Amino acid sequence: MKPIIETHELTKTYGNFTAVYRLNLHIRKGTVYGFLGPNGAGKSTTMKMFLGLVRPTVGTFTIDGMAYPRDRMEILRRTGSLIEEPSFYGNLTGRENLDLIRRILGLKPSAVDDALELTGLTRFGDRPAKKYSLGMKQRLGLAGALIGRPPLLILDEPTNGLDPVGIHEIRTLIRSLPEKIGCTVLVSSHLLPEIELMADDVGILNRGHLLFEGSMEELRETAAMKGLPSDNLEETFLALVDEDNRKRRPM
Ligand SMILES: Nc1ncnc2c1ncn2[C@@H]1O[C@H](COP(=O)(O)OP(=O)(O)OP(=O)(O)O)[C@@H](O)[C@H]1O
Ligand SMILES: [Mg+2]
């Protein structure tokens, strides 16, 4: 089956600085794909290119068979996203904020309750968004991203600011989404034990370069073959990044 996201030599440069270098990603339909990399590796830049927020310098990509830039609007219609801090109308309640999105997308009124329920916000639906805690805002952002049940969800560090219970809940939710609403999830995170529990595949980025892409099992095999630690994702990740940093000249 054709991947839901496929990139071809996707590259972003700022002046003479390369943020993302010749990426060839393959995100399989119906999976949770963990997008990993140290601070500044290029994860957000890549995700923003998928959403038309950053223009690629070189390269192309397809999402659900639609090609960028030709089908940009169609791509946006198929993609729910949570990038950095979600923003809302503070004086409106969580429910009212979601209702605005619902109207724009032309969905049934019941979609709001479904989205609140899915993200564990039912109890807080009638509180103004400006009174939400950080974790509640993340959840509301997630609710807004999935309300239209898009085939693809792009989540940039969705557990940012959540407490351990919240992290567990969001992980369980993300894990359940392919089955529950039939979507593919591209998720970036620095919480590697969480990614290990929820991702089918991972892509590891360092300084804009893709160091590895494949299933968790393939990652373990690759690490073992290279003589790197393969017991858990965190150790393998650190070893791969360290190995790559040694190969490259200082930044
Ligand atoms: N508008 C910009 N102009 C210049 N450089 C930029 C710009 N946006 C991003 N960068 C640089 O591109 C690199 C990649 O940034 P990006 O935000 O994609 O990293 P990231 O992997 O998401 O990191 P983090 O884990 O910290 O979120 C960084 O070095 C960043 O400083
Ligand atoms: Mg980022």
Side-chain angles (χ1 to χ4, degrees), residues 88-94 96-97 126-131:
F88 304 104
Y89 295 100
N91 291 326
L92 301 185
T93 65
E96 288 165 342
N97 272 284
D126 295 320
R127 190 180 287 189
K130 67 179 173 202
K131 295 193 178 164

Side-chain angles (χ1 to χ4, degrees), residues 12-15 17-20 35-48 54 84 156-157 188-190 205 208 251:
K12 179 67 191 177
T13 58
Y14 293 105
F17 175 77
T18 304
V20 170
F35 201 30
L36 314 178
N39 290 133
K43 304 178 295 297
S44 298
T45 303
T46 305
M47 290 171 146
K48 286 177 185 169
V54 163
E84 286 162 0
D156 196 4
E157 303 191 40
S188 78
S189 176
H190 292 291
L205 211 56
M251 282 171 126

